Amino acid sequence: LALCARDLGEDARRDYADADRLLGDVQAEAKRLGIPLLVVEIPYRSMVEPEARASLARKVPGLEEHYDLGRPAREIGARMDARGIAHADATPFLVQQHATTGEGLFFPIDGHLTPAGHAALARFLAPLVAERLAAKPHL
């Protein structure tokens, strides 16, 4: 949650700077290899499933007051924009999928994607990948 704090601490600021540096390294390596780079931002369960957010709010007093769960995607997204790195945030799509189907997209025990979550993410990614392949075939 430190990365979501409305008032970032020094460790979180350092973590964002480290992520920015690592993204730059990945971008440089992709350019060196001549391959396209698309970074996909995958949200936390509590950003997609209202019942998970409610559970988190019960465990973290003042959650909404002290934390902004969308901050990591915005912070990293802005850094990727500044670097010219193509990226896509899957959050809105996964929120819509959960609201439409009611299926759990994340395992409650560890937050990893369920088979339904993987299928939803694939539906999100397929047109993005197809668009990039159509624009410039890489295979």
Side-chain angles (χ1 to χ4, degrees):
L1 279 175
L3 294 174
C4 300
R6 294 192 186 280
D7 184 22
L8 288 180
E10 184 58 35
D11 286 344
R13 282 192 291 278
R14 191 170 31 254
D15 288 345
Y16 278 122
D18 288 346
D20 185 33
R21 181 183 49 76
L22 291 170
L23 285 164
D25 292 348
V26 170
Q27 180 184 36
E29 185 66 7
K31 278 186 181 174
R32 186 184 75 74
L33 295 171
I35 58 173
L37 175 62
L38 171 64
V39 176
V40 179
E41 297 168 271
I42 301 172
Y44 303 111
R45 179 175 175 245
S46 56
M47 296 170 65
V48 172
E49 300 178 0
E51 57 277 12
R53 189 179 196 110
S55 175
L56 182 61
R58 286 190 296 275
K59 295 173 190 165
V60 180
L63 177 70
E64 300 300 331
E65 178 185 345
H66 300 293
Y67 299 98
D68 174 0
L69 298 183
R71 185 174 192 165
R74 285 193 315 278
E75 290 274 346
I76 296 300
R79 290 166 189 261
M80 287 189 284
D81 285 342
R83 288 183 174 278
I85 296 174
H87 61 97
D89 183 0
T91 305
F93 186 85
L94 294 177
V95 167
Q96 179 271 329
Q97 289 292 291
H98 178 70
T100 299
T101 67
E103 289 184 294
L105 303 180
F106 300 83
F107 287 109
I109 193 75
D110 64 8
H112 288 94
L113 291 170
T114 63
H118 280 281
L121 186 59
R123 286 190 301 277
F124 172 72
L125 290 174
L128 299 176
V129 172
E131 177 183 318
R132 280 160 180 75
L133 288 174
K136 183 177 178 188
H138 297 285
L139 300 176

